[in-house]
Amino acid sequence: MTRREAGSPLSDDDKREVWGGFADREEEYLDEVEHRWGGTEAYADSARRVAGYGRAEWERINRDNAAIEARIRELMAAGADPRGTEAMDVAEASRLHVSRWFYAMDHGFHVAKSELYVQDERYRQGIEENTAPGAAEWLRAAIVANAERARLRERARERG
């Protein structure tokens, strides 16, 4: 299912209220996403999920994301090491947020996606706009550390 087949139950006014500036450039951004990832399972999964999201779901998504951003700001302001437990916990919250609302994201996928945070200026701006300068690198380091923590936990479980 493509996003064009799925559509959105939101009115244009609702989109502007819950998506902010994204709503004004929706077609442009979604064309790019479809071009980059349109043939992937994650894209199809996301298109299926978001097709049914109304205003209440988008408000919840935004609230949950704002809480993650606030935690990143707090940790960075406190000088927290991005490889520390609290930073890894916020990285895990970010991964689970995407998995819950958009598409299944394992740790390897999260690490790969985190490269976009530092390589693509739009991703960087999206992260740092509501957190702090340097948050893209900080979050990428936390995501990498969280993936390693998950790998070590899995190995420990396998050993019994």
Side-chain angles (χ1 to χ4, degrees):
M1 173 183 297
T2 69
R3 69 168 173 81
R4 287 181 176 85
E5 293 167 341
S8 172
L10 295 177
S11 70
D12 288 343
D13 287 340
D14 283 341
K15 286 178 184 180
R16 281 187 199 87
E17 286 186 38
V18 297
W19 293 349
F22 176 86
D24 296 331
R25 298 180 72 183
E26 176 185 7
E27 287 301 313
E28 173 190 344
Y29 291 148
L30 294 178
D31 284 345
E32 179 182 349
V33 168
E34 189 169 23
H35 175 74
R36 280 181 151 184
W37 296 292
T40 66
E41 186 176 324
Y43 179 87
D45 187 20
S46 183
R48 275 189 302 277
R49 291 184 194 193
V50 301
Y53 293 167
R55 186 180 181 107
E57 289 84 7
W58 284 108
E59 288 173 346
R60 172 83 188 270
I61 290 166
N62 290 343
R63 240 185 350 266
D64 292 353
N65 191 62
I68 292 167
E69 291 171 336
R71 188 66 180 137
I72 292 168
R73 275 193 313 276
E74 292 166 3
L75 290 171
M76 289 183 71
D81 183 340
R83 293 168 304 275
T85 300
E86 292 177 305
M88 288 187 284
D89 290 347
V90 80
E92 182 66 3
S94 172
R95 186 185 73 79
L96 292 173
H97 177 72
V98 171
S99 290
R100 175 180 182 173
W101 294 105
F102 301 103
Y103 49 84
M105 180 184 286
D106 65 20
H107 292 282
F109 190 172
H110 202 201
V111 168
K113 185 176 178 187
S114 75
E115 290 301 315
L116 289 172
Y117 301 166
V118 297
Q119 293 175 4
D120 186 313
E121 192 57 35
R122 290 172 301 167
Y123 279 85
R124 175 186 297 282
Q125 288 174 356
I127 290 168
E128 295 184 357
E129 172 179 52
N130 295 315
T131 54
E137 286 83 5
W138 188 93
L139 183 56
R140 179 184 62 177
I143 289 167
V144 169
N146 185 54
E148 178 63 14
R149 174 175 70 172
R151 187 183 68 74
L152 292 173
R153 286 179 175 171
E154 181 60 30
R155 284 179 61 198
R157 274 192 294 274
E158 288 171 358
R159 283 186 246 154

